Amino acid sequence: MALSDWIRTTLEEGLRPAALSVVDESHQHAGHAGWREGGETHFRLDVVSAAFEGKSRVERHRIVNALLADAFTRGLHALALRARTPEEAGRDPA
């Protein structure tokens, strides 16, 4: 299974997101630390989940990082993350 698919499945199972975007940005990091041929080293995630309600930004990131801990052993080098509640996403769709 591709790492992007594994990330998507893991987050869907762990957070039941209302919306989820998983974007492989590895091509933007060619030649930089952690990059490797074939990509799947640098991802940008936008996760909208009720599981984030009442949680600080740091707590939200910790939840996602805990769910994806195994991804780093599978080759993930960097993760850019936007974690919002459904209410926040409704106010700021961009």
Side-chain angles (χ1 to χ4, degrees), residues 7-8 10 19 26 38 40 66 70 73-74 76 85-86 88 90-91:
I7 289 171
R8 179 174 299 284
T10 300
S26 302
E40 296 212 312
D70 287 343
T73 63
R74 297 177 60 147
L76 179 63
T85 66
E88 292 165 342
R91 289 191 311 251

Side-chain angles (χ1 to χ4, degrees), residues 11-39:
L11 293 177
E12 287 173 347
E13 291 173 358
L15 296 173
R16 302 285 183 228
L20 175 60
S21 173
V22 178
V23 179
D24 185 350
E25 294 185 336
S26 302
H27 65 282
Q28 297 175 355
H29 301 274
H32 298 169
W35 179 84
R36 70 175 184 279
E37 192 67 40

Side-chain angles (χ1 to χ4, degrees), residues 4 14 28 34 48 54-55 65 77 85:
S4 58
Q28 297 175 355
V48 177
K55 306 278 192 288
N65 286 331
H77 177 74
T85 66

Side-chain angles (χ1 to χ4, degrees), residues 18 48-53 84-91:
V48 177
S49 175
F52 298 141
E53 291 177 11
R84 300 175 289 161
T85 66
E87 181 182 351
E88 292 165 342
R91 289 191 311 251

